[in-house]
């Protein structure tokens, strides 16, 4: 596999050679993923690293080879790297899924198409802005039915071919019955449908380091923002490889270069949709990781998994504190998956917060996605509702100090 690159349409001055690999049905660990009627070979997965790119430059590229042919030309604006001097835009959501154009008994997520269409509108409206996407787990919901991965990539291709598309692992990518980390207080079952993290780890390539399985936990800089990405599917307890890495990563952040520190991962530490099955796991997230959020002055903790949008006050142990003294927690898992009881008892014995807790500042069960606009001094967070493409919640942070928070009914997106 080759990638041809240039700074003018149709004129390529660099060719990069990548590697090709694949996975097979023997890589799947449980049903339905390891059943022949459900597995489809992904073919050759091609991984090309583009090196020595100039920042803030529009590149044009195509991929393929002279024998089998080339793709249509694509373009992207190279990322600004770690710098407080370049404003950036970031779209953030989890639990997207896919909607396919025919009937099937396999569960789909029809709102996913609308979310992606709105993202494309945002990119087209600000084509020269520095955009990236962070998809916080539960990507395709293939869950062992391999054809859904193909439709998922067709869905996100118009976005992922022009801006960085960062991902984190969710329960529906990884969980399996014999997974290595499975404490008694967890609720890890076969949520991946026997995929056991293999398609997720092979189809994406996030920043790597020596202590983590591929794409499990990692960090990256995008302009003035440093993202620390954790995995709730692997051991995050004190003394674990992940815990030690999280400490070292956040301790090394230079806030004079990246003034914003965002901690993110799929499973939330706080949510007012309090499914008792997951209560003990959230208690351990609070006990193990919340002290790190306070110690390293994390600005925002952004999660998914719960298929709603929620924003808390700056909070420690369910207690609101002075703004700027603790992170605001955001759950933004309402981009596609349509399973979630609203805030009430659902007849199965599982209790939900029906009345809005005092530590929740805004929440909705409408479908949508979130956006960040950040520069050296301010970070503006917006939650966009899908049906009307309007901003239904927003707030602004001032770097390392006070927070000005606002609520609104409808604002133009």
């Amino acid at each position: 596999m080759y990638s041809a690159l240039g700074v003018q349409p149709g004129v390529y001055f660099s060719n990069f050679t990548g590697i090709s690999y694949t996975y097979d049905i023997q890589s799947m660990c449980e049903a339905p993923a390891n059943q022949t009627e459900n597995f489809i070979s992904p073919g050759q997965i091609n991984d090309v690293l583009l090196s020595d790119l100039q920042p803030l430059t529009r590149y044009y590229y195509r991929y393929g080879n002279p024998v089998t042919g080339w793709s249509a030309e694509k373009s992207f604006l190279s990322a600004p790297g770690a710098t407080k001097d370049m404003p950036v835009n970031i779209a953030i959501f989890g639990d997207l899924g896919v909607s396919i154009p025919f009937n099937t008994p396999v569960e789909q997520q029809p709102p996913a198409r609308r979310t992606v269409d709105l993202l494309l509108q945002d990119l087209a409206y600000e084509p020269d802005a520095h955009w990236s996407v962070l998809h916080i787990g539960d990507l395709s919901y293939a869950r062992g039915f391999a054809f859904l991965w193909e439709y998922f990539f067709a869905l996100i291709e118009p976005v992922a071919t022009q801006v960085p598309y960062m991902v984190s692992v969710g329960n529906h990518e990884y969980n399996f019955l014999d997974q290595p980390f499975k404490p008694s207080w967890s609720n890890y079952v076969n949520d991946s449908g026997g995929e056991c993290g293999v398609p997720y780890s092979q189809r994406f390539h996030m920043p790597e380091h020596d202590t983590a399985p591929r794409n499990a936990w990692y960090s990256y800089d995008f302009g003035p923002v440093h993202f620390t990405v954790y995995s709730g599917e692997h051991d995050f307890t004190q003394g674990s490889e992940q815990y030690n890495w999280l400490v070292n990563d956040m301790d090394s952040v230079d806030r004079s270069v990246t003034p914003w520190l965002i901690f993110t991962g799929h499973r939330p530490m706080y949510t007012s949709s309090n499914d008792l099955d997951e209560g003990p796991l959230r208690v351990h997230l609070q006990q193990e990781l919340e002290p790190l959020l306070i110690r390293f002055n994390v600005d925002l903790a952004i999660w998914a998994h719960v298929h709603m949008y929620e924003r808390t006050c700056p909070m420690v142990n369910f207690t609101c504190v002075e703004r700027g003294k603790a992170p605001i927690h955001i759950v933004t898992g309402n981009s596609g998956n349509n399973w979630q009881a609203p805030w009430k008892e659902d007849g199965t014995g599982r209790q939900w917060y029906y009345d809005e807790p005092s530590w929740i500042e805004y929440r909705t069960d409408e479908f949508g996605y979130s956006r960040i606009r950040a520069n050296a001094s301010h970070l503006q967070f917006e939650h966009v509702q899908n049906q009307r493409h309007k901003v239904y919640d927003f707030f602004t942070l001032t770097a390392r100090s006070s927070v000005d928070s606002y609520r609104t009914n409808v604002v133009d997106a």
Side-chain angles (χ1 to χ4, degrees):
M1 166 60 67
Y2 300 94
S3 181
L5 191 71
V7 294
Q8 298 179 19
V11 180
Y12 308 111
F13 59 79
S14 295
N15 288 302
F16 295 87
T17 303
I19 60 173
S20 298
Y21 48 85
T22 190
Y23 58 88
D24 56 26
I25 193 170
Q26 282 73 38
S27 304
M28 306 293 103
C29 63
E30 294 169 2
N34 62 4
Q35 297 171 326
T36 56
E37 63 268 29
N38 299 322
F39 184 81
I40 298 175
S41 172
Q44 290 297 308
I45 299 170
N46 301 296
D47 194 340
V48 180
L49 177 64
L50 306 181
S51 58
D52 299 322
L53 299 182
Q54 296 299 310
L56 315 178
T57 301
R58 172 68 61 180
Y59 284 98
Y60 298 85
Y61 71 102
R62 61 180 184 172
Y63 46 88
N65 62 68
V67 177
T68 60
W70 295 92
S71 71
E73 185 176 76
K74 316 286 185 181
S75 75
F76 64 89
L77 187 64
S78 57
T83 174
K84 67 178 181 180
D85 297 325
M86 185 56 60
V88 296
N89 296 347
I90 305 151
I92 304 180
F93 53 86
D95 304 80
L96 181 67
V98 67
S99 180
I100 59 179
F102 53 83
N103 292 328
T104 172
V106 179
E107 181 185 347
Q108 301 179 55
Q109 295 76 34
R113 167 58 62 186
R114 174 67 173 167
T115 298
V116 173
D117 286 345
L118 296 181
L119 287 176
L120 288 170
Q121 289 183 37
D122 289 347
L123 297 180
Y125 184 73
E126 298 180 82
D128 294 322
H130 297 285
W131 280 97
S132 67
V133 171
L134 175 58
H135 188 160
I136 314 174
D138 284 7
L139 310 182
S140 71
Y141 287 98
R143 291 175 286 194
F145 296 95
F147 76 97
L148 289 177
W149 277 110
E150 308 306 322
Y151 280 97
F152 173 75
F153 275 93
L155 174 67
I156 69 168
E157 180 183 13
V159 176
T161 52
Q162 59 176 311
V163 301
Y165 198 98
M166 311 301 288
V167 294
S168 67
V169 65
N171 54 304
H172 287 296
E173 282 77 56
Y174 183 80
N175 283 174
F176 56 103
L177 295 178
D178 294 326
Q179 68 185 74
F181 179 62
K182 196 172 183 180
S184 60
W185 40 262
S186 71
N187 68 331
Y188 302 140
V189 290
N190 186 19
D191 286 344
S192 75
E195 293 183 349
C196 313
V198 173
Y200 167 78
S201 66
Q202 298 299 299
R203 288 174 174 265
F204 296 92
H205 195 166
M206 298 297 106
E208 292 184 280
H209 55 91
D210 294 338
T211 66
R214 179 156 150 164
N215 303 338
W217 58 88
Y218 65 95
S219 66
Y220 66 101
D221 298 309
F222 191 68
V225 185
H226 180 87
F227 288 92
T228 298
V229 182
Y230 102 104
S231 169
E233 318 312 315
H234 298 80
D235 191 351
F236 55 81
T237 60
Q238 292 188 40
S240 66
E241 285 187 323
Q242 178 175 197
Y243 181 92
N244 293 336
W245 181 88
L246 292 172
V247 170
N248 291 333
D249 179 73
M250 289 190 283
D251 189 43
S252 68
V253 176
D254 184 348
R255 303 298 277 263
S256 69
V257 177
T258 52
W260 303 106
L261 174 55
I262 294 178
F263 188 91
T264 183
H266 185 63
R267 291 182 185 265
M269 185 178 295
Y270 291 103
T271 172
S272 63
S273 180
N274 193 22
D275 187 344
L276 293 182
D277 291 345
E278 298 198 353
L281 190 147
R282 282 197 289 273
V283 168
H284 281 268
L285 282 173
Q286 293 156 17
Q287 292 175 345
E288 304 286 349
L289 299 184
E290 185 168 54
L292 300 183
L293 306 188
I294 305 304
R295 173 182 169 186
F296 294 112
N297 297 308
V298 169
D299 297 293
L300 291 175
I302 306 179
W303 326 91
H305 190 54
V306 176
H307 305 148
M308 298 174 181
Y309 170 77
E310 303 172 282
R311 170 168 62 91
T312 75
C313 60
M315 185 168 64
V316 182
N317 191 27
F318 295 98
T319 302
C320 295
V321 299
E322 181 182 347
R323 297 191 183 280
K325 301 299 183 183
I328 293 171
H329 292 258
I330 302 288
V331 174
T332 182
N334 57 336
S335 65
N337 193 301
N338 54 12
W339 183 90
Q340 190 74 51
W343 296 278
K344 63 181 181 181
E345 201 280 321
D346 67 356
T348 66
R350 294 179 294 189
Q351 300 293 322
W352 313 78
Y353 284 102
Y354 183 75
D355 296 323
E356 188 172 283
S358 60
W359 41 269
I360 288 287
E361 295 197 343
Y362 185 83
R363 68 182 186 179
T364 180
D365 58 3
E366 299 282 353
F367 293 105
Y369 63 101
S370 297
R371 297 188 304 218
I372 285 176
R373 304 176 190 276
N375 58 31
S377 59
H378 291 82
L379 183 151
Q380 180 175 300
F381 189 99
E382 304 170 329
H383 187 70
V384 181
Q385 194 249 25
N386 271 7
Q387 185 174 5
R388 300 171 64 191
H389 200 199
K390 302 291 183 181
V391 175
Y392 270 50
D393 184 44
F394 73 91
F395 61 91
T396 302
L397 303 180
T398 301
R400 302 297 305 275
S401 57
S402 64
V403 181
D404 297 319
S405 184
Y406 306 91
R407 291 181 61 172
T408 185
N409 290 322
V410 178
V411 176
D412 287 337

